[in-house]
Amino acid sequence: MKWLASNYGLVWELMQAHIALCIPPILIGFLISIPIGWVANRYKLSRGVILLVLGLLYTIPSLPLFIFMPLVLGTPQLSSLNVVVALTIYAVALMVRSAADGLSSVDKDILQAASAMGYSGWQRFWRVELPLSGPVLLAGLRVVSASTVSLATIGSVIGVTSLGYLFINGLQRSIPGEVITGIVATLLIAVVFDLVLVLIGRLLLPWIRQDRTSARAARRRAVLIAEGAR
Amino acid sequence: MIEFRSVTKQFPDGTVAVEGFDLVIPPRKTTVLVGSSGCGKTTLLRMINRMIDPTSGSILIDGEDTGGLAPVKLRRRIGYVMQNSGLLPHRKVVDNVATVPVLNGVPKKEARAHALELLDTVGLDRSLADKYPRQLSGGQQQRVGVARGLAADPNILLMDEPFGAVDPIVRAELQQETIRLQEGLGKTVVFVTHDIDEAFLLGHQVVILQKGGHIAQVGTPAEILARPADDFVATFIGADKGKRVLRIQNVDGRDVVVDENGTPTGVLQS
């Protein structure tokens, strides 16, 4: 605590840098994953191939990937773009499966009904398939968010500012307070991101909540009936 | 009027669902396609709004070949009610009913106002308008499905076993409601079921189908009862087992009608 009290400014600065580093990969990864997930879901063969390749992608160790990035992108060694692109790759690797699963989770009868109503293919995707795959997409995005927030710390090893600095510096100088602060701050960001995503989900997927409240009401009713029977 | 002209449908896996099918469906009446599973009745229904395209032959609506029409546009002017309602779970009841008018470009506010009126038409309380489909009972969902089918005021309403998944009491209610609506609105209704009693109850014209969409018999319920075309029809309507036979017993000088089990069902008036 004493360490934190005298370094509050630094921690706050690192937290801001960390957040700025994490948001683009999560958003861009999400946007890229939807069309890839759609293609994966569209054909049996493409699903197997795409999911396998992306699964392998996620197994690449992060440090080598961060170091490798400037060679591919032609960016300076210390550019935060290296970390952003690498984190986006991981986000896509994780998210495509959720996107494919989410799209395939939509009830085929409902899609048939939508077509019978006169939705064109394009309208049906945007107004029916995508919203209905929302719950699965959200679940996937929460995993991506947590993964990205934690992976971003490694960026500090190659000199891109993030909360990882506190781990490295704290270890080198044997300041446990600094390491613990780094861990707690990272966790805090992950939790806040998660809460924000859940909140967005509540706003965008209101029918899910209605579902749950009605389920709760049904349960309460069942309990009351059971009590009445006694 | 809907006309099938030697329509054949073979699916990519080789099954022939329908072969050389001819039928005229009269306007402003209810035609019921009835048969056991695999007789091609749903395939026939879905060919009317081009959810399925025939392999050969043509389907005409008021003399116009649907093969030359854009499927999406065609579907927006034909009502469709399916089993398990097929409502969009992420849309409120009122928005589900307003679906097709909104797709047709009617302003949302106007479409919603009209949707509320349609809830009245199908006997639903307006307080359900802001609920989501899953908060409704099966019977209520089915009514919303019917309201949605009627929303764009189509001339034709296709109903694909719409009451197959609701309990018998609710089904009986919905059947009466369907008769009332058809008479009141004068729609051409094409109804698919495997239940011959439902077919006789709802149909002005009943089409009994055998495997491969072969027509065993077409006629009014009375015509079919009076003269089943063959053993298949007799078996299908239950006439072979003495079902559908009513007898008259004279009791105290009045004619009492008894059913196949000898149970009195009513008094005959001349």
Side-chain angles (χ1 to χ4, degrees):
Chain A
M1 276 324 258
K2 224 169 74 192
W3 184 89
L4 177 60
S6 50
N7 292 278
Y8 183 77
L10 171 70
V11 173
W12 179 234
E13 219 170 89
L14 289 174
M15 278 180 89
Q16 285 173 306
H18 198 95
I19 290 168
L21 202 58
C22 289
I23 289 178
I26 296 172
L27 290 182
I28 299 167
F30 179 74
L31 293 179
I32 295 176
S33 300
I34 303 287
I36 303 180
W38 185 84
V39 173
N41 197 40
R42 187 79 183 73
Y43 311 98
K44 239 186 203 137
L45 184 73
S46 61
R47 183 183 171 94
V49 173
I50 289 174
L51 293 184
L52 180 73
V53 169
L54 291 169
L56 288 174
L57 217 54
Y58 193 69
T59 64
I60 302 173
S62 47
L63 195 51
L65 189 63
F66 287 170
I67 296 167
F68 190 61
M69 272 297 133
L71 300 176
V72 182
L73 301 171
T75 42
Q77 278 291 343
L78 292 179
S79 166
S80 65
L81 198 62
N82 300 326
V83 175
V84 169
V85 173
L87 289 178
T88 304
I89 292 174
Y90 287 126
V92 170
L94 275 178
M95 193 62 210
V96 167
R97 181 173 286 274
S98 296
D101 288 349
L103 291 171
S104 73
S105 75
V106 180
D107 189 341
K108 299 290 166 286
D109 277 353
I110 289 168
L111 293 181
Q112 280 247 320
S115 290
M117 291 304 110
Y119 280 94
S120 66
W122 184 250
Q123 289 171 324
R124 196 180 81 165
F125 176 77
W126 288 105
R127 302 197 201 169
V128 182
E129 282 187 89
L130 195 61
L132 286 181
S133 48
V136 180
L137 293 179
L138 178 65
L141 197 58
R142 290 173 68 182
V143 175
V144 168
S145 158
S147 153
T148 306
V149 170
S150 95
L151 280 171
T153 56
I154 300 170
S156 293
V157 179
I158 57 163
V160 174
T161 315
S162 75
L163 283 167
Y165 172 84
L166 299 180
F167 305 162
I168 300 165
N169 193 54
L171 277 173
Q172 280 170 349
R173 294 167 57 195
S174 304
I175 310 173
E178 189 176 357
V179 177
I180 292 167
T181 304
I183 293 172
V184 172
T186 310
L187 273 175
L188 193 68
I189 292 175
V191 169
V192 169
F193 274 25
D194 197 55
L195 286 176
V196 169
L197 287 175
V198 170
L199 203 71
I200 293 174
R202 287 240 172 136
L203 289 174
L204 291 181
L205 315 169
W207 74 94
I208 307 293
R209 199 167 28 143
Q210 293 288 349
D211 236 23
R212 235 178 266 147
T213 46
S214 67
R216 218 178 295 142
R219 228 175 300 139
R220 210 175 307 131
R221 215 174 308 132
V223 170
L224 285 176
I225 290 168
E227 279 173 350
R230 246 186 336 176
Chain B
M1 187 170 72
I2 307 168
E3 243 179 300
F4 286 86
R5 286 197 188 155
S6 56
V7 169
T8 295
K9 177 64 192 180
Q10 184 173 21
F11 285 106
D13 66 356
T15 27
V16 179
V18 175
E19 202 178 6
F21 185 82
D22 288 291
L23 181 71
V24 173
I25 295 174
R28 298 174 183 281
K29 299 272 184 228
T30 301
T31 294
V32 181
L33 306 176
V34 58
S36 347
S37 53
C39 71
K41 54 192 190 294
T42 296
T43 305
L44 285 167
L45 191 78
R46 289 186 176 173
M47 284 197 281
I48 297 174
N49 70 349
R50 295 198 58 190
M51 295 279 285
I52 298 174
D53 279 327
T55 314
S56 65
S58 52
I59 295 150
L60 285 75
I61 294 179
D62 296 331
E64 192 177 17
D65 190 340
T66 57
L69 302 171
V72 169
K73 269 195 155 166
L74 177 70
R75 288 173 202 150
R76 287 183 194 170
R77 63 182 179 95
I78 296 179
Y80 194 92
V81 184
M82 59 193 287
Q83 200 176 355
N84 299 322
S85 81
L87 297 176
L88 303 177
H90 61 307
R91 292 289 183 74
K92 288 175 180 171
V93 164
V94 61
D95 292 320
N96 261 290
V97 176
T99 301
V100 186
V102 169
L103 283 173
N104 279 333
V106 175
K108 226 174 187 169
K109 212 172 152 195
E110 203 177 304
R112 279 192 177 157
H114 181 54
L116 290 177
E117 287 168 24
L118 278 163
L119 291 183
D120 301 340
T121 308
V122 298
L124 283 175
D125 198 275
R126 288 187 180 203
S127 66
L128 297 176
D130 283 330
K131 296 208 180 284
Y132 288 97
R134 268 177 230 162
Q135 296 173 291
L136 269 53
S137 72
Q140 288 171 327
Q141 287 185 28
Q142 238 21 74
R143 282 174 195 264
V144 177
V146 174
R148 181 175 67 172
L150 293 170
D153 197 23
N155 292 325
I156 300 170
L157 189 62
L158 307 179
M159 304 183 84
D160 186 5
E161 300 212 35
F163 313 138
V166 293
D167 69 68
I169 295 168
V170 176
R171 188 182 314 149
E173 268 175 40
L174 290 169
Q175 286 167 342
Q176 291 307 325
E177 199 78 14
T178 306
I179 293 171
R180 188 180 63 79
L181 284 174
Q182 194 279 328
E183 281 172 357
L185 304 172
K187 304 288 179 198
T188 305
V189 175
V190 187
F191 194 105
V192 160
T193 181
H194 59 261
D195 179 354
I196 186 66
D197 291 315
E198 188 167 62
F200 281 166
L201 179 64
L202 299 176
H204 298 107
Q205 172 175 266
V206 173
V207 182
I208 299 180
L209 295 166
Q210 267 173 297
K211 274 231 164 340
H214 293 292
I215 296 179
Q217 190 167 4
V218 183
T220 64
E223 285 165 359
I224 294 172
L225 276 171
R227 231 173 269 287
D230 53 23
D231 289 347
F232 174 82
V233 175
T235 311
F236 194 76
I237 67 174
D240 62 327
K241 292 193 215 83
K243 217 180 137 191
R244 314 261 175 216
V245 175
L246 303 174
R247 288 188 188 79
I248 297 170
Q249 270 176 6
N250 197 293
V251 180
D252 277 348
R254 294 202 67 181
D255 289 334
V256 174
V257 179
V258 297
D259 68 9
E260 70 267 23
N261 302 317
T263 312
T265 59
V267 178
L268 200 66
Q269 279 191 331
S270 45

